[in-house]
Amino acid sequence: MFTLTVRDHIMIAHSLPDPFFGPAQRLHGATYEVETTWARPVLDEHGVVMDIGMASGLLGQVLDGLRHRNLDEHPDFAGRLSTTEVIAQHVGERLAAAAAGIEGLERLTVTLRENPDAWASYTLELPVLGGGSGRG
């Protein structure tokens, strides 16, 4: 399996209003390093998993909807706690939808790093389309 990883970062605000989260129940800020790893078993005809610029662009587009936002007020998180894991799932599902036409990709993992010692990931299997270019 071949992989390509690109990363970006976001700054958000949110609260986790459940006693389980202790002081994080209150509104607070978080900066996440967001790492995405795309996987395919066979390289495309250009010898790559996918174009790095395309992978970075897709990630940036998805993250733009979260940057400098209070997730407590974001409609996609209504009725849900915006835990690191839930944010990773949100990013992963949107990236998978954005990359739906890219052939040959099988898996996507999104990792959110809150600090060098703590991170959470979400992995999803992608519907496999042919063995095309990965160039969009």
Side-chain angles (χ1 to χ4, degrees), residues 1-4 37-45 47-50 102-108 125-132:
M1 187 69 67
F2 294 93
T3 63
L4 169 70
T37 300
W38 301 90
R40 65 188 304 150
V42 178
L43 297 176
D44 72 8
E45 69 269 17
V48 300
V49 172
M50 71 187 291
I102 300 174
E103 296 178 347
L105 296 174
E106 285 192 2
R107 187 175 303 116
L108 169 63
E125 302 298 318
L126 302 173
V128 179
L129 305 173

Side-chain angles (χ1 to χ4, degrees), residues 5 12 26-27 41 45 67 72 82 91 96 102 105 107 110 133 136:
T5 300
I12 57 99
R26 296 186 298 274
L27 184 64
E45 69 269 17
R67 291 184 206 280
D72 295 351
S82 55
V91 171
I102 300 174
L105 296 174
R107 187 175 303 116
V110 176
S133 74

Side-chain angles (χ1 to χ4, degrees), residues 31-35 83-86 88 109-122:
T31 299
Y32 290 107
E33 179 180 291
V34 182
E35 189 175 278
T83 63
T84 304
E85 292 86 346
V86 168
T109 299
V110 176
T111 301
L112 270 66
R113 297 179 190 275
E114 255 188 282
N115 66 60
D117 299 322
W119 58 88
S121 298
Y122 176 70

Side-chain angles (χ1 to χ4, degrees), residues 43-75:
L43 297 176
D44 72 8
E45 69 269 17
H46 304 286
V48 300
V49 172
M50 71 187 291
D51 180 73
I52 290 173
M54 175 184 283
S56 296
L58 291 174
L59 178 57
Q61 289 171 11
V62 169
L63 295 182
D64 282 346
L66 302 177
R67 291 184 206 280
H68 305 286
R69 299 276 307 265
N70 179 348
L71 300 187
D72 295 351
E73 300 170 354
H74 194 291

